[in-house]
Amino acid sequence: KGMKKGGSKNQGHPLAEVRERLRALSYLSSEELRAGPDGQRLSAAGIVIARQLPQTAKGTFFITMEDEYGFTNIIVRATLYERHRRLLCRVRFLGCDGLLQRREGVTNLLATSFRDLELEGLLESSSEGRDNSGGLGGTRSLERGWRSRDFR
């Protein structure tokens, strides 16, 4: 369901409807991020689907975001997490700037800054699809099953 001919799983995903606007704001898709060069400063946006603060990670916080092409792993160092804790524990539609890090075949974004894109009006959370804020508009509700799984 929702598979395009080329095998890309982006039809029906809330971010598929706003991808061009996200690109205009310099946010890469998870697919574009995976193709980026190691160590490059890049930006990604996605729906937060999981948050983890493992006891064994010495305060490092992990976020998994989803977009229409797959997943993006975000690593947040302890000091940055403490500064942005309130935002990171509640945000649903996250914009993240960071350094691309490739280790043992896994691509991560080592976070340097964040934006709550829903709060800034860049993605509506109402199902009406109206956009009076100059945001992305025309998207389906984040309320319909796009919930974060938080593990501690």
Side-chain angles (χ1 to χ4, degrees), residues 27-28 33 40-45 61-63 65 72-77 95-102 106-114:
Y27 288 110
L28 302 178
L33 200 67
Q40 176 100 22
R41 185 171 299 281
L42 298 172
S43 300
F61 188 66
F62 300 91
I63 298 171
M65 298 190 312
T72 300
N73 300 315
I74 308 293
I75 299 172
V76 184
R77 291 202 170 123
C96 180
D97 300 322
L99 298 173
L100 191 67
Q101 184 182 77
R102 233 183 235 100
V106 178
T107 302
N108 299 305
L109 194 60
L110 183 58
T112 57
S113 65
F114 310 99

Side-chain angles (χ1 to χ4, degrees), residues 2-4 14 18 28 38 46 53 63-64 70 80 89-93 100-101 108 113 116 128 142-143 148-149:
M3 295 293 280
K4 284 177 68 176
V18 296
L28 302 178
D38 188 41
L53 185 59
I63 298 171
T64 303
L80 190 62
C89 288
R90 69 165 173 70
V91 67
R92 296 187 306 167
F93 181 35
L100 191 67
Q101 184 182 77
N108 299 305
S113 65
D116 182 341
E128 281 128 14
L142 285 179
E143 299 295 328
S148 173
R149 296 175 218 30

